[in-house]
Amino acid sequence: MTLSESPRELTRTDRLLGALGGLVAGYVSLAVAEVVAAWVRPEAGPVTAVGAAVIDLTPAAVKEWAIRSFGTSDKAVLLTGILTILALLAAAIGLLALRNRPAGVAGVLLLGLVGAVAAAGRPDSDSVADMLPSLIGAVAGAALLYVLTGRLLARRPTAAPERAARASRRSFLLTAAATVVAATGAAALARALGGARHENAVASRTALRLPRPASAAPAVPRGAQLDVPGIGPFITPNEDFYRIDTALVVPKVDAGSWRLRIHGLGVDGERTLTLQDLLRRTVIERDITLACVSNEIGGPLVGNARWLGVRLADLLREAGVRPPSEGGPADQIVARSVDGMTIGTPVEDVMDGRDALLAFGMNGEPLPFDHGFPVRMLVPGLYGYVSACKWIVDIELTTFDAYDAYWVRGGWAPEAPVKTQSRIDTPRSLARLDEGTVMIAGVAWAQHRGIERVQVRIDDGPWQDARLAAEDSRDTWRQWVYPWRATPGRHDLAVRATDGAGVTQTERRTDPMPDGASGWHTIAVTVEAVE
Ligand SMILES: Nc1nc2c(c(=O)[nH]1)N[C@H]1C(S)=C(S)[C@@H](COP(=O)(O)O)O[C@H]1N2
Ligand SMILES: [Mo]
């Protein structure tokens, strides 16, 4: 029995099915690509690769807007957007293929090429094999589209027209359904296999026994945590700690095969360390508050944890590194992560005596994968994008003149000490309150300088001192509370902090770009009279 293609009038149903054929071809492309990516590298899958490329190509200002608008779900929004655009393109290609099959096939291949180029262009991509998932997926999808449109347009020469059309649609739908089922099954299997590959990393984290610190963090002072409803915990639990990074697939690094290379200007002999090497060193434990430069005034991108690690300055000194103030030739440390992120930090800050860490523990457990397992950097007093490289694998000593790290290329400042900030956590903005005493409370931070004073202003009244909670260390945030006798009406509440250097937050509001937001956190509340 032969099927012959004969052009005929396309009905609405044909066009609907044509678009459906495009969608099915697109879906099967992605599923096949996922199967191949499970073997090559999960990050080389087309959607992940295109997503990562979009993140890299997005102007810093837009990225900042995305973080601001979508917070930590910015990645989900991005992936949904990519999949939506892809679905529209696939449907259009399906329609195109009804008129011109080679053009439809070319369309699918072209999309595959976009995915392949995106995958190969990633900074952490070191082989053309990363192009394979997209390319093989596209070939499979293109072939399927060719067959599906063939089914739809085919007509048995002898049959009556309506019956012929019905037969060809049935055959189209059967083929489409069968391939969707097969591709879904294969992708699920591949995903399970990929998961198995991550098991080593997961097992290495479960097996990791954290050493006792030679220098433990002092117990958090009893008075550091205020007993005011609506104020967060002084130590942020790991699962509530904000997460900001460019990784669409969280790197799962096996602690056993992890290595850290230290090299570059002024290093007297490149060295490579294992996690065991770090665990055998003098381990210290410190409470350090980490903040993101993208955090808006009043925003949530700040957290405080108890970190366990080794002093980075000691490691550097042993490697022959001297800070610029001692005549060392390098003024920038470029930390590189396993996924190609680069983060530049002043050598001087790391070596000036503060507790800059290579950390492997967070709040009593090994670093969570989201927060950089097995090892990350932390430098008290600097925003995360210039200090806190997660999944770190390489430390290069260089100069600020010679190298722009990732975020700096996007327009962020090369050096960025945290700005003094304060935040009202309770009452909430636009809250309706009963008249009487209202506890206005929140946190303030100015890592490495400490917080000396926090003041609250009601409407246009005078600035009044809030009560400061006990200080844990000057590298941590500090809670504060101000009991307010609230009177009926609408009120504006503002807060400002003064840091340990005696500098008070200025009123002038600036955007997070390029070196962190400034300005007072101000909220409006309505107080109702109580009968
Ligand atoms: N590898 C890697 N490290 C990174 C980033 C990243 O994108 N990739 N983002 C940095 C930024 S901008 C911040 S604010 C902190 C956030 O750390 P957290 O996710 O553990 O809170 O990580 C820093 N380290
Ligand atoms: Mo950040």
PDB file of all heavy atoms in Angstrom, residues 163-187:
ATOM      1  N   ARG A 163     -13.590   9.870   3.570  1.00  0.00           N
ATOM      2  CA  ARG A 163     -12.998   8.737   4.270  1.00  0.00           C
ATOM      3  C   ARG A 163     -11.487   8.832   4.248  1.00  0.00           C
ATOM      4  O   ARG A 163     -10.818   8.532   5.226  1.00  0.00           O
ATOM      5  CB  ARG A 163     -13.441   7.423   3.633  1.00  0.00           C
ATOM      6  CG  ARG A 163     -14.831   6.983   4.092  1.00  0.00           C
ATOM      7  CD  ARG A 163     -15.112   5.557   3.680  1.00  0.00           C
ATOM      8  NE  ARG A 163     -14.030   4.662   4.015  1.00  0.00           N
ATOM      9  CZ  ARG A 163     -13.795   3.515   3.390  1.00  0.00           C
ATOM     10  NH1 ARG A 163     -14.553   3.152   2.371  1.00  0.00           N
ATOM     11  NH2 ARG A 163     -12.802   2.738   3.767  1.00  0.00           N
ATOM     12  N   ALA A 164     -10.953   9.293   3.116  1.00  0.00           N
ATOM     13  CA  ALA A 164      -9.498   9.421   2.988  1.00  0.00           C
ATOM     14  C   ALA A 164      -8.975  10.418   4.014  1.00  0.00           C
ATOM     15  O   ALA A 164      -7.990  10.157   4.704  1.00  0.00           O
ATOM     16  CB  ALA A 164      -9.125   9.879   1.586  1.00  0.00           C
ATOM     17  N   ALA A 165      -9.659  11.544   4.140  1.00  0.00           N
ATOM     18  CA  ALA A 165      -9.211  12.562   5.086  1.00  0.00           C
ATOM     19  C   ALA A 165      -9.259  12.010   6.503  1.00  0.00           C
ATOM     20  O   ALA A 165      -8.331  12.191   7.297  1.00  0.00           O
ATOM     21  CB  ALA A 165     -10.082  13.805   4.968  1.00  0.00           C
ATOM     22  N   ARG A 166     -10.368  11.278   6.802  1.00  0.00           N
ATOM     23  CA  ARG A 166     -10.482  10.728   8.150  1.00  0.00           C
ATOM     24  C   ARG A 166      -9.360   9.725   8.427  1.00  0.00           C
ATOM     25  O   ARG A 166      -8.751   9.738   9.483  1.00  0.00           O
ATOM     26  CB  ARG A 166     -11.850  10.065   8.342  1.00  0.00           C
ATOM     27  CG  ARG A 166     -12.642  10.715   9.468  1.00  0.00           C
ATOM     28  CD  ARG A 166     -14.008  10.072   9.659  1.00  0.00           C
ATOM     29  NE  ARG A 166     -14.885  10.303   8.533  1.00  0.00           N
ATOM     30  CZ  ARG A 166     -15.561   9.338   7.895  1.00  0.00           C
ATOM     31  NH1 ARG A 166     -15.429   8.073   8.270  1.00  0.00           N
ATOM     32  NH2 ARG A 166     -16.344   9.624   6.874  1.00  0.00           N
ATOM     33  N   ALA A 167      -9.065   8.893   7.442  1.00  0.00           N
ATOM     34  CA  ALA A 167      -8.011   7.892   7.615  1.00  0.00           C
ATOM     35  C   ALA A 167      -6.667   8.565   7.840  1.00  0.00           C
ATOM     36  O   ALA A 167      -5.892   8.168   8.720  1.00  0.00           O
ATOM     37  CB  ALA A 167      -7.950   6.987   6.396  1.00  0.00           C
ATOM     38  N   SER A 168      -6.397   9.617   7.093  1.00  0.00           N
ATOM     39  CA  SER A 168      -5.084  10.246   7.238  1.00  0.00           C
ATOM     40  C   SER A 168      -4.985  10.944   8.598  1.00  0.00           C
ATOM     41  O   SER A 168      -3.948  10.919   9.233  1.00  0.00           O
ATOM     42  CB  SER A 168      -4.816  11.209   6.091  1.00  0.00           C
ATOM     43  OG  SER A 168      -5.692  12.297   6.174  1.00  0.00           O
ATOM     44  N   ARG A 169      -6.093  11.531   9.068  1.00  0.00           N
ATOM     45  CA  ARG A 169      -6.046  12.156  10.399  1.00  0.00           C
ATOM     46  C   ARG A 169      -5.837  11.121  11.492  1.00  0.00           C
ATOM     47  O   ARG A 169      -5.097  11.356  12.446  1.00  0.00           O
ATOM     48  CB  ARG A 169      -7.336  12.923  10.675  1.00  0.00           C
ATOM     49  CG  ARG A 169      -7.371  14.249   9.946  1.00  0.00           C
ATOM     50  CD  ARG A 169      -8.704  14.907  10.016  1.00  0.00           C
ATOM     51  NE  ARG A 169      -8.750  15.981   9.035  1.00  0.00           N
ATOM     52  CZ  ARG A 169      -9.872  16.450   8.520  1.00  0.00           C
ATOM     53  NH1 ARG A 169     -11.032  15.936   8.884  1.00  0.00           N
ATOM     54  NH2 ARG A 169      -9.834  17.417   7.647  1.00  0.00           N
ATOM     55  N   ARG A 170      -6.520   9.968  11.320  1.00  0.00           N
ATOM     56  CA  ARG A 170      -6.359   8.922  12.327  1.00  0.00           C
ATOM     57  C   ARG A 170      -4.900   8.488  12.380  1.00  0.00           C
ATOM     58  O   ARG A 170      -4.304   8.374  13.452  1.00  0.00           O
ATOM     59  CB  ARG A 170      -7.267   7.727  12.019  1.00  0.00           C
ATOM     60  CG  ARG A 170      -7.431   6.802  13.211  1.00  0.00           C
ATOM     61  CD  ARG A 170      -8.409   5.657  12.939  1.00  0.00           C
ATOM     62  NE  ARG A 170      -9.614   6.066  12.241  1.00  0.00           N
ATOM     63  CZ  ARG A 170      -9.990   5.569  11.057  1.00  0.00           C
ATOM     64  NH1 ARG A 170      -9.247   4.667  10.435  1.00  0.00           N
ATOM     65  NH2 ARG A 170     -11.105   5.984  10.491  1.00  0.00           N
ATOM     66  N   SER A 171      -4.330   8.297  11.225  1.00  0.00           N
ATOM     67  CA  SER A 171      -2.930   7.847  11.187  1.00  0.00           C
ATOM     68  C   SER A 171      -2.007   8.919  11.772  1.00  0.00           C
ATOM     69  O   SER A 171      -1.063   8.629  12.502  1.00  0.00           O
ATOM     70  CB  SER A 171      -2.572   7.468   9.751  1.00  0.00           C
ATOM     71  OG  SER A 171      -1.346   8.000   9.380  1.00  0.00           O
ATOM     72  N   PHE A 172      -2.320  10.192  11.482  1.00  0.00           N
ATOM     73  CA  PHE A 172      -1.551  11.306  12.068  1.00  0.00           C
ATOM     74  C   PHE A 172      -1.605  11.242  13.586  1.00  0.00           C
ATOM     75  O   PHE A 172      -0.591  11.274  14.287  1.00  0.00           O
ATOM     76  CB  PHE A 172      -2.128  12.634  11.577  1.00  0.00           C
ATOM     77  CG  PHE A 172      -1.668  13.848  12.336  1.00  0.00           C
ATOM     78  CD1 PHE A 172      -0.548  14.560  11.918  1.00  0.00           C
ATOM     79  CD2 PHE A 172      -2.338  14.291  13.484  1.00  0.00           C
ATOM     80  CE1 PHE A 172      -0.121  15.691  12.623  1.00  0.00           C
ATOM     81  CE2 PHE A 172      -1.908  15.400  14.192  1.00  0.00           C
ATOM     82  CZ  PHE A 172      -0.800  16.104  13.748  1.00  0.00           C
ATOM     83  N   LEU A 173      -2.843  11.135  14.126  1.00  0.00           N
ATOM     84  CA  LEU A 173      -3.006  11.166  15.575  1.00  0.00           C
ATOM     85  C   LEU A 173      -2.345   9.965  16.241  1.00  0.00           C
ATOM     86  O   LEU A 173      -1.736  10.095  17.308  1.00  0.00           O
ATOM     87  CB  LEU A 173      -4.496  11.237  15.938  1.00  0.00           C
ATOM     88  CG  LEU A 173      -5.126  12.607  15.660  1.00  0.00           C
ATOM     89  CD1 LEU A 173      -6.645  12.556  15.827  1.00  0.00           C
ATOM     90  CD2 LEU A 173      -4.525  13.671  16.598  1.00  0.00           C
ATOM     91  N   LEU A 174      -2.453   8.794  15.600  1.00  0.00           N
ATOM     92  CA  LEU A 174      -1.830   7.598  16.178  1.00  0.00           C
ATOM     93  C   LEU A 174      -0.327   7.770  16.269  1.00  0.00           C
ATOM     94  O   LEU A 174       0.296   7.493  17.299  1.00  0.00           O
ATOM     95  CB  LEU A 174      -2.172   6.361  15.342  1.00  0.00           C
ATOM     96  CG  LEU A 174      -3.554   5.768  15.619  1.00  0.00           C
ATOM     97  CD1 LEU A 174      -3.861   4.633  14.638  1.00  0.00           C
ATOM     98  CD2 LEU A 174      -3.633   5.273  17.070  1.00  0.00           C
ATOM     99  N   THR A 175       0.274   8.237  15.176  1.00  0.00           N
ATOM    100  CA  THR A 175       1.733   8.431  15.177  1.00  0.00           C
ATOM    101  C   THR A 175       2.131   9.456  16.229  1.00  0.00           C
ATOM    102  O   THR A 175       3.085   9.253  16.994  1.00  0.00           O
ATOM    103  CB  THR A 175       2.209   8.916  13.792  1.00  0.00           C
ATOM    104  OG1 THR A 175       1.642   8.069  12.802  1.00  0.00           O
ATOM    105  CG2 THR A 175       3.717   8.902  13.682  1.00  0.00           C
ATOM    106  N   ALA A 176       1.384  10.583  16.263  1.00  0.00           N
ATOM    107  CA  ALA A 176       1.719  11.633  17.224  1.00  0.00           C
ATOM    108  C   ALA A 176       1.634  11.091  18.650  1.00  0.00           C
ATOM    109  O   ALA A 176       2.557  11.271  19.456  1.00  0.00           O
ATOM    110  CB  ALA A 176       0.778  12.822  17.053  1.00  0.00           C
ATOM    111  N   ALA A 177       0.527  10.400  18.953  1.00  0.00           N
ATOM    112  CA  ALA A 177       0.345   9.897  20.313  1.00  0.00           C
ATOM    113  C   ALA A 177       1.440   8.899  20.667  1.00  0.00           C
ATOM    114  O   ALA A 177       2.019   8.953  21.764  1.00  0.00           O
ATOM    115  CB  ALA A 177      -1.030   9.254  20.458  1.00  0.00           C
ATOM    116  N   ALA A 178       1.765   8.012  19.732  1.00  0.00           N
ATOM    117  CA  ALA A 178       2.772   6.991  20.019  1.00  0.00           C
ATOM    118  C   ALA A 178       4.134   7.627  20.301  1.00  0.00           C
ATOM    119  O   ALA A 178       4.826   7.263  21.265  1.00  0.00           O
ATOM    120  CB  ALA A 178       2.875   6.016  18.849  1.00  0.00           C
ATOM    121  N   THR A 179       4.516   8.623  19.506  1.00  0.00           N
ATOM    122  CA  THR A 179       5.835   9.226  19.734  1.00  0.00           C
ATOM    123  C   THR A 179       5.853  10.018  21.033  1.00  0.00           C
ATOM    124  O   THR A 179       6.845  10.008  21.755  1.00  0.00           O
ATOM    125  CB  THR A 179       6.254  10.154  18.577  1.00  0.00           C
ATOM    126  OG1 THR A 179       5.119  10.921  18.185  1.00  0.00           O
ATOM    127  CG2 THR A 179       6.793   9.364  17.413  1.00  0.00           C
ATOM    128  N   VAL A 180       4.739  10.708  21.356  1.00  0.00           N
ATOM    129  CA  VAL A 180       4.710  11.464  22.610  1.00  0.00           C
ATOM    130  C   VAL A 180       4.889  10.513  23.791  1.00  0.00           C
ATOM    131  O   VAL A 180       5.686  10.775  24.705  1.00  0.00           O
ATOM    132  CB  VAL A 180       3.393  12.265  22.743  1.00  0.00           C
ATOM    133  CG1 VAL A 180       3.187  12.730  24.184  1.00  0.00           C
ATOM    134  CG2 VAL A 180       3.418  13.470  21.812  1.00  0.00           C
ATOM    135  N   VAL A 181       4.170   9.389  23.753  1.00  0.00           N
ATOM    136  CA  VAL A 181       4.292   8.427  24.845  1.00  0.00           C
ATOM    137  C   VAL A 181       5.720   7.897  24.938  1.00  0.00           C
ATOM    138  O   VAL A 181       6.335   7.865  26.011  1.00  0.00           O
ATOM    139  CB  VAL A 181       3.281   7.261  24.664  1.00  0.00           C
ATOM    140  CG1 VAL A 181       3.591   6.131  25.639  1.00  0.00           C
ATOM    141  CG2 VAL A 181       1.867   7.779  24.873  1.00  0.00           C
ATOM    142  N   ALA A 182       6.288   7.509  23.794  1.00  0.00           N
ATOM    143  CA  ALA A 182       7.643   6.953  23.802  1.00  0.00           C
ATOM    144  C   ALA A 182       8.660   7.979  24.291  1.00  0.00           C
ATOM    145  O   ALA A 182       9.520   7.682  25.125  1.00  0.00           O
ATOM    146  CB  ALA A 182       8.011   6.474  22.392  1.00  0.00           C
ATOM    147  N   ALA A 183       8.536   9.218  23.796  1.00  0.00           N
ATOM    148  CA  ALA A 183       9.513  10.248  24.165  1.00  0.00           C
ATOM    149  C   ALA A 183       9.407  10.583  25.648  1.00  0.00           C
ATOM    150  O   ALA A 183      10.421  10.774  26.328  1.00  0.00           O
ATOM    151  CB  ALA A 183       9.300  11.496  23.316  1.00  0.00           C
ATOM    152  N   THR A 184       8.150  10.642  26.161  1.00  0.00           N
ATOM    153  CA  THR A 184       7.978  10.940  27.585  1.00  0.00           C
ATOM    154  C   THR A 184       8.623   9.857  28.437  1.00  0.00           C
ATOM    155  O   THR A 184       9.319  10.141  29.411  1.00  0.00           O
ATOM    156  CB  THR A 184       6.484  11.061  27.927  1.00  0.00           C
ATOM    157  OG1 THR A 184       5.904  12.039  27.059  1.00  0.00           O
ATOM    158  CG2 THR A 184       6.276  11.473  29.366  1.00  0.00           C
ATOM    159  N   GLY A 185       8.405   8.609  28.038  1.00  0.00           N
ATOM    160  CA  GLY A 185       9.002   7.497  28.779  1.00  0.00           C
ATOM    161  C   GLY A 185      10.514   7.567  28.763  1.00  0.00           C
ATOM    162  O   GLY A 185      11.167   7.435  29.807  1.00  0.00           O
ATOM    163  N   ALA A 186      11.077   7.816  27.592  1.00  0.00           N
ATOM    164  CA  ALA A 186      12.534   7.867  27.478  1.00  0.00           C
ATOM    165  C   ALA A 186      13.104   9.007  28.316  1.00  0.00           C
ATOM    166  O   ALA A 186      14.116   8.852  29.007  1.00  0.00           O
ATOM    167  CB  ALA A 186      12.936   8.037  26.010  1.00  0.00           C
ATOM    168  N   ALA A 187      12.403  10.172  28.288  1.00  0.00           N
ATOM    169  CA  ALA A 187      12.908  11.315  29.050  1.00  0.00           C
ATOM    170  C   ALA A 187      12.847  11.027  30.545  1.00  0.00           C
ATOM    171  O   ALA A 187      13.764  11.385  31.295  1.00  0.00           O
ATOM    172  CB  ALA A 187      12.105  12.571  28.711  1.00  0.00           C
TER     173      ALA A 187
END
